[in-house]
């Protein structure tokens, strides 16, 4: 992973003009901070079974603090080098998570979720109201070159920031991985499974939740610090509910049951946000539908699906699933094409046309005011769904046959 | 580990207007194996929940040796050396059998809320968990997810978790309920082995288990103690026969 991270920007470099691919570097930087953020979210969701709606608060607060640190450094009033600012942001996130955690972690399950939702709303309101610290709606801008560097790097170039992000993402990920194997980490799992039994082996589940919550705030703060260093601006969006929801989205789609799940989720969602948003203005619809589909059909996430294959791979029966998988492909593509067609035409008819754009759909230019394209898209969707259900039943049978006599994979 | 005595003094518990425990006074001597029996709805499990801190008493006091425990939360009572099992199996179902036992050891071995120790490197702790695994005969199921164990295996695991922390007072709520004859015999042997030198209070419906294991038997009917004594005395007691044992003792 590390090697890939280091080499990645050079694969997309435009060597003919000796220029780096700024878009790709920006996307990979975003992935790095989102990996840290999603992993820290999973310390609550996956490890402790806590559904939080205020995780962005600690991310954003870390970011705001770094903005102020950098501005103070510009006035000569701050001494930490840029390389250590993410840690300072983490400590700020930790401090705030201690305060809010003391409120939220007295409860668990639904009550916990509702308290965190309240905290999230509170933070947005505060960020808009208290202009002195949060800069109101326009946020706080800063300049990362204000700070001095341990290595004499000026961080004027995106690539330099990218390597800083890689180092911190790696450190944070290692830290969070280590935490899983400590008494606290394991008791967080235990309280998730059965908080009552945890009490009867001597642990106070509230204290376990509180410490776990505070530490997840530390890592969210680090991610927020990286965010501020990268974009040099922090607005109230960085503490707001959509970003908290994004953490949930990344962790869940990747899979909350394993350490690598949120990493994969963060990479995938960031890629979708960066790539898909270039292709379609309705990209957020697709991310939403993907989330609903995952919750409904694959609640264990991508890593959960992969892990379910382990017994089949070990028994050497994976080849038996190749054809059934291939057969799923066509109906899937048909459903996708039909759905994308409908969404894009709808979006074009309501917004796009008035902006004077032309619709380009799979290389075609359908007329959205004629009935034909709509009928074709709808038919593709409906036929695709019917076909998919048929193939899914066949696939289930093939899966059951492959799994016959094998023990399914358990969670941890 | 010195086995403690347990003292209940006029303990009462009401849920709304209904009084479930109606003034229970009971002394359990140090190192005694004490069985609590009684018909369904007598309040046996409620009494367990009061002693272990899961419910608060409405009035009365509960002491472990000389320490009042009726005002403490469950985890504090556990740290004083009182541990319990549940009527409905209560384990960490997504953790492995080994992890279940290790988690049950952590507090008593002083790890508290540590986020700096790496569990894999705590060799004394891990050896202890392995030894417990052997003791409850689940060594062959070490890495199986606890939720996937058979019913009898889960009960054995729960007994292992209950005694793991080295608690000197053990409360077992129907440890053999729903087991076959062979499984029951194995469970009795296990309980006898792991509660050696400890104070044991158990709720049990199976009279073979009760008369086999217990030094003293207390009979609870409608939230009150109607008799308490040795198995021989209880067998002979007319009041008990009328209220509860009925055909089984006759």
């Amino acid at each position: 992973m590390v090697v890939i991270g280091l080499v990645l920007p050079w694969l997309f470099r435009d060597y003919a003009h000796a220029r780096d691919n700024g878009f790709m570097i920006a996307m990979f930087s975003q992935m790095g901070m989102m990996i840290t953020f999603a992993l820290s979210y999973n310390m609550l969701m996956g490890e402790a079974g806590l559904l939080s709606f205020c995780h962005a608060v600690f991310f954003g607060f870390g970011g705001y603090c770094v903005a102020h640190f950098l501005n103070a450094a510009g006035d000569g009033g701050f001494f930490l080098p840029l390389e250590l600012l993410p840690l300072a942001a983490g400590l700020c996130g930790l401090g705030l998570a201690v305060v809010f955690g003391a409120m939220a972690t007295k409860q668990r399950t639904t009550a916990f979720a509702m308290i965190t939702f309240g905290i999230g709303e509170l933070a947005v309101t505060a960020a808009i109201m208290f202009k002195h610290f949060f800069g109101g709606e326009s946020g706080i801008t800063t300049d990362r070159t204000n700070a001095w560097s341990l290595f004499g790097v000026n961080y004027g170039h995106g690539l330099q920031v990218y390597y800083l992000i890689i180092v911190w993402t790696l450190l944070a990920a290692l830290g969070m991985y280590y935490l899983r194997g400590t008494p606290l980490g394991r008791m967080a799992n235990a309280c998730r499974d059965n908080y009552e039994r945890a009490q009867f082996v001597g642990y106070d589940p509230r204290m376990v939740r509180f410490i776990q919550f505070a530490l997840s705030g530390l890592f969210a703060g680090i991610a927020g610090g990286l965010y501020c260093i990268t974009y040099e601006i922090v607005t109230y969006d960085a503490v707001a509910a959509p970003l908290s929801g994004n953490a949930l989205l990344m962790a869940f789609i990747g899979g909350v049951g394993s350490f690598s799940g949120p990493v994969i989720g963060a990479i995938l969602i960031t890629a979708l946000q960066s790539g898909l948003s270039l292709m379609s203005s309705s990209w957020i619809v697709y991310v939403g539908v993907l989330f609903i589909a995952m919750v409904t059909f694959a609640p264990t996430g991508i890593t959960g699906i992969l892990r379910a294959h382990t017994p089949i791979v070990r028994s050497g029966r994976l080849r038996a699933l190749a054809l059934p998988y291939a057969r799923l492909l066509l109906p899937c593509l048909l459903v996708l094409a039909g759905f994308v067609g409908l969404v894009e035409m709808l979006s074009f008819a309501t917004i796009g046309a008035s902006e004077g754009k032309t619709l380009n759909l799979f290389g075609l230019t359908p007329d959205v005011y004629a009935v034909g394209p709509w009928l074709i898209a709808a038919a593709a969707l409906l036929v695709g769904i019917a076909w998919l259900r048929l193939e899914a039943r066949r696939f289930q049978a093939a899966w059951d046959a492959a799994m016959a006599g094998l023990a399914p994979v358990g969670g941890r | 580990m010195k086995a403690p005595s347990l003292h209940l003094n006029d303990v009462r518990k009401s849920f709304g207007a209904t009084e479930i425990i109606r003034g229970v006074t009971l002394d359990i001597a140090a190192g005694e194996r004490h069985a609590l029996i009684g018909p369904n709805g007598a309040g046996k499990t409620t009494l367990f929940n009061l002693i272990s801190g899961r419910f608060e008493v409405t009035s009365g006091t509960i002491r472990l040796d000389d320490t009042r425990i009726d005002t403490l939360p469950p985890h504090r009572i556990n740290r004083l050396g009182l541990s319990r099992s549940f009527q409905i199996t209560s384990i960490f179902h997504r953790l492995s059998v080994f992890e279940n036992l290790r988690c049950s050891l952590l507090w008593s071995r002083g790890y508290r809320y540590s986020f700096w120790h790496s569990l894999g490197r705590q060799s004394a702790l891990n050896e202890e968990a392995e030894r417990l695994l052997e003791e409850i005969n689940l060594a062959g199921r070490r890495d199986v997810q606890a939720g996937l164990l058979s019913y009898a295996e889960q009960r054995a695991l729960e007994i292992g978790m209950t005694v793991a922390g080295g608690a000197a007072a053990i409360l077992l709520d129907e440890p053999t309920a729903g087991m076959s004859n062979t499984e029951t015999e194995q469970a009795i042997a296990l309980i006898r082995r792991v509660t050696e030198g400890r104070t044991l209070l158990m709720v049990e419906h199976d009279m073979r288990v009760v008369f086999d294991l217990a030094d003293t038997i207390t009979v609870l009917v409608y939230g009150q103690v109607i008799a308490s004594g040795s198995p021989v005395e209880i067998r002979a007691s007319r009041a008990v026969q009328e209220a509860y044992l009925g055909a089984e003792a006759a």
Side-chain angles (χ1 to χ4, degrees), chain B residues 89-133:
Chain B
T89 311
S90 179
I91 53 178
F92 306 125
H93 51 267
R94 281 164 68 187
L95 298 183
S96 73
V97 174
F98 177 76
E99 292 291 0
N100 268 269
L101 291 170
R102 190 156 69 174
C103 283
S104 313
L105 285 164
L106 283 175
W107 189 274
S108 62
R109 299 302 179 272
Y111 287 97
R112 302 174 67 92
Y113 301 102
S114 157
F115 48 85
W116 48 90
H117 289 100
S118 170
L119 283 172
R121 291 201 207 106
Q122 313 302 316
S123 48
L125 174 76
N126 294 329
E127 278 163 27
E128 180 112 42
E130 300 282 3
R131 197 186 52 70
L132 255 167
L133 204 58

Side-chain angles (χ1 to χ4, degrees), chain A residues 252-264:
Chain A
F252 199 93
I253 287 180
V256 295
S258 67
F259 188 75
S260 54
V263 179
I264 292 172

Side-chain angles (χ1 to χ4, degrees), chain A residues 34-327:
Chain A
M34 285 301 130
I35 285 172
T36 309
F37 187 47
L39 279 172
S40 73
Y41 186 78
N42 207 38
M43 284 179 66
L44 301 176
M45 174 97 181
E47 303 292 328
L50 294 169
L51 177 61
S52 168
F53 290 112
C54 71
H55 205 56
V57 172
F58 312 113
F59 176 93
F61 188 66
Y64 275 114
C65 289
V66 164
H68 285 291
F69 293 153
L70 281 172
N71 288 341
D75 304 333
F78 195 79
F79 56 92
L80 276 183
L82 189 81
E83 287 84 359
L84 293 183
L85 280 182
L87 180 64
L91 293 176
C92 295
L94 173 72
L96 194 67
V98 165
V99 175
F100 286 145
M103 288 154 56
T105 57
K106 291 218 184 330
Q107 303 290 336
R108 31 175 230 108
T109 60
T110 312
F112 172 85
M114 293 200 298
I115 295 173
T116 59
F117 192 79
I119 291 172
E121 293 305 299
L122 188 79
V124 174
T125 313
I128 295 173
M129 271 174 62
F130 302 119
K131 290 203 164 79
H132 192 70
F133 185 82
F134 297 103
E137 291 200 19
S138 52
I140 298 274
T141 52
T142 188
D143 183 352
R144 62 175 171 254
T145 56
N146 282 350
W148 65 283
S149 163
L150 278 177
F151 311 106
V153 183
N154 68 5
Y155 293 100
H157 195 290
L159 195 61
Q160 294 165 333
V161 179
Y162 171 74
Y163 283 122
L164 181 72
I165 290 175
I166 286 207
V167 170
W168 272 105
T169 300
L170 189 67
L171 287 176
L174 285 175
M176 287 185 270
Y177 188 79
Y178 183 84
L179 275 178
R180 279 167 38 114
T182 64
L184 178 80
R186 208 45 55 81
M187 285 314 295
N189 299 157
C191 290
R192 169 198 69 196
D193 284 3
N194 186 343
Y195 76 100
E196 196 142 44
R197 172 44 82 185
Q199 289 182 298
F200 291 105
V201 297
Y203 277 87
D204 182 357
R206 284 183 186 182
M207 188 55 92
V208 173
R209 288 197 292 269
F210 173 68
I211 303 175
Q212 185 80 1
F213 189 91
L215 290 176
S216 85
L218 170 81
F219 292 106
I222 292 178
L226 295 171
Y227 173 90
C228 175
I229 290 171
T230 309
Y231 299 112
E232 300 181 307
I233 180 169
V234 186
T235 65
Y236 72 92
D237 287 335
V239 299
L243 187 60
S244 296
N246 230 352
L248 168 65
L249 206 72
M250 293 185 291
F252 199 93
I253 287 180
V256 295
S258 67
F259 188 75
S260 54
V263 179
I264 292 172
I267 292 173
L268 180 73
I269 295 295
T270 310
L272 285 180
Q273 281 171 349
S274 308
L276 212 54
S277 63
L278 291 182
M279 288 188 264
S280 162
S281 52
S282 335
W283 65 276
I284 210 154
V285 174
Y286 302 122
V287 176
V289 169
L290 174 67
F291 182 63
I292 295 173
M294 292 298 285
V295 173
T296 313
F297 300 110
T300 54
I302 293 170
T303 50
I305 296 175
L306 293 177
R307 264 156 55 105
H309 288 78
T310 335
I312 295 176
V313 173
R314 283 213 190 111
S315 67
R317 296 184 197 163
L318 192 61
R319 286 181 62 184
L321 286 180
L323 187 63
Y325 262 123
R327 294 182 65 119

Side-chain angles (χ1 to χ4, degrees), chain B residues 51-95:
Chain B
I51 298 172
S52 61
R54 197 179 179 208
F55 296 164
E56 274 181 53
V57 296
T58 306
S59 69
T61 58
I62 303 171
R63 283 182 298 123
L64 188 67
D65 277 335
D66 293 325
T67 318
R68 260 191 83 165
I69 58 171
D70 54 273
T71 51
L72 298 177
H75 59 273
R76 297 285 296 279
I77 297 175
N78 181 268
R79 292 174 198 170
L80 289 172
L82 184 144
S83 188
R84 70 166 291 179
S85 73
F86 289 81
Q87 191 178 353
I88 296 164
T89 311
S90 179
I91 53 178
F92 306 125
H93 51 267
R94 281 164 68 187
L95 298 183

